[in-house]
């Protein structure tokens, strides 16, 4: 496990947007960021899930989060602009962006993968992530110390059979991270890095490995050290790096 212990006030005063914040790793990250002082913007497509995370953060006495229902699969360009405008009006800037939301798609040989399924996975996992990044970058540049964290995968670092669109999308994620990191290097107080969560006890993992005993994998809460490290000031100057949570 990534060795890092975050001090309680690590993220005090920071505004951090988390995609896919309704469950799994996204929900765990949102709660961890809030517990360390951040105002968290909970973005996801299922409002009921986001509201549950909101309620848990409120009940714990952490800074009041915001619920942002937003469907990355269907959102149009103007909706990204409206999202950025809303964040600027309400919060003035953005200190962190965790790209966590993605879909797995069919695990099948490329030969049997339909173009429709390939494009759907690439749209959610890559196109929407690009749209969010480019639209929110001006708000991140208004921060004194901003961090963009991309969620990768071991199959996005070395190709593996039958991971098709998902694997390709994670290679693209690494490419987007590296490109952004090189562009902001020394010219903006923004850094970009990626995290490979590894095998974690989530519904997506269960979908990919139905025969696996989930109890053998750590919970999302247990892999949070690297997520906290990359969002806080201790990682200032760390840019363009690919991290493993485990």
């Amino acid at each position: 496990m990534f060795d890092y212990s975050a001090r309680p006030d690590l993220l005090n005063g920071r505004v951090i947007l988390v995609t896919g914040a309704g469950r799994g790793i996204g929900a765990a990250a949102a709660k961890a960021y809030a517990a360390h002082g951040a105002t968290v913007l909970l973005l996801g497509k299922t409002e009921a899930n986001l509201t549950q995370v909101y309620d848990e953060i409120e009940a714990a006495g952490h800074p009041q989060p915001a619920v942002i229902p937003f469907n990355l699969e269907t959102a149009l360009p103007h909706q990204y602009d409206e999202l950025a405008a809303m964040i600027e009006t309400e919060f003035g800037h953005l200190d962190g962006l965790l790209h966590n939301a993605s879909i797995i798609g069919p695990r099948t040989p490329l030969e049997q993968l339909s173009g429709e399924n390939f494009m759907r996975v690439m749209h959610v996992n890559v196109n929407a992530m690009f749209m969010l990044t480019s639209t929110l970058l001006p708000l991140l540049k208004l921060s004194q110390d901003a961090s963009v964290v991309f969620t990768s995968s071991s199959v996005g670092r070395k190709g593996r059979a039958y991971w098709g669109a998902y694997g390709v999308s994670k290679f693209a994620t690494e490419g987007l991270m590296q490109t952004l990191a090189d562009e902001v290097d020394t010219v903006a107080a923004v850094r970009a890095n990626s995290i490979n969560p590894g095998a974690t006890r989530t519904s997506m993992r269960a979908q990919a490995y139905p025969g696996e005993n989930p109890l053998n994998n750590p919970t999302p809460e247990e892999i949070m050290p690297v997520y906290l490290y990359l969002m806080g000031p201790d990682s200032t100057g760390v840019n363009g790096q690919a991290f493993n949570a485990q």
Side-chain angles (χ1 to χ4, degrees):
M1 208 61 70
F2 186 83
D3 185 25
Y4 175 72
S5 184
R7 60 184 185 277
D9 63 349
L10 181 77
L11 302 175
N12 272 9
R14 296 193 179 218
V15 179
I16 299 172
L17 186 145
V18 177
T19 73
R23 59 195 179 115
I25 292 171
K31 288 185 267 191
Y33 294 155
H36 289 81
T39 297
V40 185
L41 314 185
L42 308 166
L43 185 143
K45 66 181 178 187
T46 309
E47 190 164 1
N49 292 349
L50 300 175
T51 302
Q52 186 178 342
V53 176
Y54 176 99
D55 290 344
E56 288 177 35
I57 291 172
E58 281 256 283
H62 303 317
Q64 184 180 18
V67 169
I68 304 175
F70 197 90
N71 190 333
L72 295 170
E73 192 171 348
T74 58
L76 298 168
H78 72 89
Q79 290 173 290
Y80 289 92
D81 294 333
E82 289 162 7
L83 172 66
M86 181 277 288
I87 293 172
E88 184 168 23
T89 301
E90 296 290 323
F91 303 99
H93 70 283
L94 198 57
D95 300 294
L97 171 58
L98 171 61
H99 288 296
N100 166 73
S102 60
I103 58 173
I104 203 162
R107 287 189 60 207
T108 181
L110 290 173
E111 191 178 3
Q112 292 163 21
L113 182 64
S114 74
E116 185 182 1
N117 276 321
F118 183 86
M119 286 187 275
R120 176 172 178 250
V121 171
M122 293 299 284
H123 183 77
V124 174
N125 295 7
V126 183
N127 300 358
M129 185 175 60
F130 163 76
M131 289 296 294
L132 263 184
T133 304
S134 62
T135 311
L136 297 178
L137 200 51
L139 290 175
L140 289 157
K141 287 181 172 178
L142 294 175
S143 168
Q144 301 297 305
D145 176 42
S147 176
V148 184
V149 178
F150 294 84
T151 303
S152 185
S153 169
S154 59
V155 298
R157 293 177 180 169
K158 186 181 189 306
R160 205 180 304 161
Y162 315 130
W163 279 90
Y166 183 80
V168 174
S169 77
K170 293 303 179 178
F171 271 95
T173 297
E174 294 283 2
L176 183 56
M177 178 277 284
Q178 292 180 23
T179 304
L180 177 64
D182 205 37
E183 288 181 4
V184 296
D185 195 36
T186 72
V187 299
V190 181
R191 57 193 184 278
N193 299 280
S194 71
I195 297 173
N196 165 26
T200 311
R201 208 179 304 167
T202 63
S203 57
M204 182 185 273
R205 178 75 187 184
Q207 184 186 340
Y209 293 95
E212 180 181 74
N213 180 357
L215 297 179
N216 293 336
N217 298 326
T219 64
E221 289 73 22
E222 289 174 292
I223 65 166
M224 282 301 117
V226 69
Y227 286 82
L228 287 162
Y229 170 71
L230 286 176
M231 266 315 162
D234 293 335
S235 60
T236 301
V238 176
N239 186 41
Q241 302 298 308
F243 287 81
N244 293 312
Q246 302 180 43

